Amino acid sequence: MGATVRVDAHHHLWDVTAREHTWLDTPSMAPIRKTFTVADLEMEARAAGIERTVLVQVLPSVDETREFLSVAQQTPLIAGVVGWVDLTRPDVADILAELTEPAGLVGIRHLVQGEPDPDWLNRPDVRRGLRAVADAGLRFDLLTLPHQLPAAIDTVRALPELTFVLDHLSKPPIASGRLDPWARLFRELAAEPNVVAKLSGLVTEAGPGWEIATLRSYTQLAMEAFGPGRLMFGSDWPVCLLAAGYSAWAEAASELTGELSPAERAEVFGGTATRVYQLDPHS
């Protein structure tokens, strides 16, 4: 058996001239308020030893998802797309059927972190949409903040047929150095077998000037709670550029998982993503 292909399970692309990105219109986002192309991605990924990637939605836009699917079909590096649909639409199943007609869609994500209702995931119309995601054979990326984890736990338990992928470890309060209540809720979510998680977005939560030691408590807890077979590396590029370059975060993630065996690290850096998102294992 050959070596496991190294996968970046979470990155983005955007073109600020193609459609409006209002989320970038704050002073803190100034370093990334520009267009990031496939060529930029390929340069960064190759330098970090990444062979396949998963492109994740940025905007709540089906049109963006269609464009990403087209980009993936033309880009061997991109092995899959996590797109967006309005989960609350009555015809969500039909939209998913259209999006999955060409190969490439592996999951759906909604920007739950931006929903003012902390119980949004428990809404009946949202649950119906999530069942449609499961019926379409897709995964659902959970983008939540710590205070939204109780609803996420309820939802995961209510939908055992759907595999959930927790983005950015649900954004723990790394900059403050606190663990609880995030850690308690995180462990409770990890106890559910239909959840996996991404080691991604952590340098952004830590902020500029982060150190390996600052991150270790959070990544150690994640490895204990999920195990390497349910964890996957993600760069969160280009958002990560607010705190670290692509290769710098990849090297940090490698150091933070240094206690794992080679086989376990191969899971985190490729095996888990390939299996969970059902990616083509060949680069």
Side-chain angles (χ1 to χ4, degrees), residues 19 24-25 35 46 67 69 85 93 135 162 174 202 207 243 282:
R19 53 173 50 93
L24 292 173
D25 293 340
T35 295
R46 300 300 184 197
E67 289 177 13
L69 288 168
V85 295
D135 290 344
L162 179 58
I174 301 175
L202 303 183
H282 305 293

Side-chain angles (χ1 to χ4, degrees), residues 12-17 21-37 40 58 204 236-246:
H12 307 288
L13 296 170
W14 58 75
D15 182 347
V16 295
T17 68
H21 286 261
T22 56
W23 67 282
L24 292 173
D25 293 340
T26 63
S28 64
M29 294 294 179
I32 58 173
R33 195 184 303 123
K34 59 183 181 179
T35 295
F36 290 91
T37 67
D40 297 326
V58 179
T204 313
D236 198 27
W237 179 89
V239 180
C240 69
L241 298 177
L242 295 171
Y246 194 124

Side-chain angles (χ1 to χ4, degrees), residues 16-218:
V16 295
T17 68
R19 53 173 50 93
E20 195 171 8
H21 286 261
T22 56
W23 67 282
L24 292 173
D25 293 340
T26 63
S28 64
M29 294 294 179
I32 58 173
R33 195 184 303 123
K34 59 183 181 179
T35 295
F36 290 91
T37 67
V38 168
D40 297 326
L41 168 70
E42 289 176 334
M43 180 180 65
E44 296 285 0
R46 300 300 184 197
I50 297 296
E51 299 162 274
R52 309 303 303 282
T53 72
V54 175
L55 173 57
V56 178
Q57 64 89 217
V58 179
L59 301 174
S61 165
V62 172
D63 287 340
E64 181 197 68
T65 297
R66 292 190 183 102
E67 289 177 13
F68 281 179
L69 288 168
S70 178
V71 168
Q73 288 164 6
Q74 301 168 45
T75 309
L77 176 65
I78 300 175
V81 172
V82 174
W84 180 89
V85 295
D86 182 350
L87 295 171
T88 67
R89 284 181 63 121
D91 61 346
V92 62
D94 295 333
I95 297 170
L96 288 169
E98 175 212 331
L99 292 173
T100 54
E101 185 62 32
L105 190 69
V106 298
I108 293 296
R109 184 174 84 151
H110 180 78
L111 305 172
V112 177
Q113 67 173 9
E115 293 290 344
D117 178 6
D119 212 37
W120 185 85
L121 284 164
N122 283 328
R123 284 172 39 172
D125 54 352
V126 173
R127 289 282 180 86
R128 184 181 53 78
L130 290 172
R131 289 189 184 92
V133 172
D135 290 344
L138 301 170
R139 310 297 177 246
F140 185 75
D141 270 43
L142 272 172
L143 178 63
T144 53
L145 299 174
H147 76 279
Q148 296 165 322
L149 281 172
I153 293 165
D154 290 343
T155 301
V156 163
R157 288 172 176 164
L159 297 168
E161 69 274 22
L162 179 58
T163 297
F164 292 83
V165 183
L166 182 66
D167 291 350
H168 316 326
L169 305 186
S170 196
K171 297 195 168 185
I174 301 175
S176 72
R178 297 194 311 272
L179 284 172
D180 285 321
W182 166 82
R184 174 179 55 79
L185 293 167
F186 180 82
R187 287 191 185 96
E188 191 173 350
L189 183 67
E192 301 304 317
N194 57 324
V195 188
V196 300
K198 292 179 181 178
L199 284 177
S200 61
L202 303 183
V203 289
T204 313
E205 296 307 309
W210 62 273
E211 299 177 351
I212 291 288
T214 309
L215 305 178
R216 196 174 295 280
S217 296
Y218 302 90

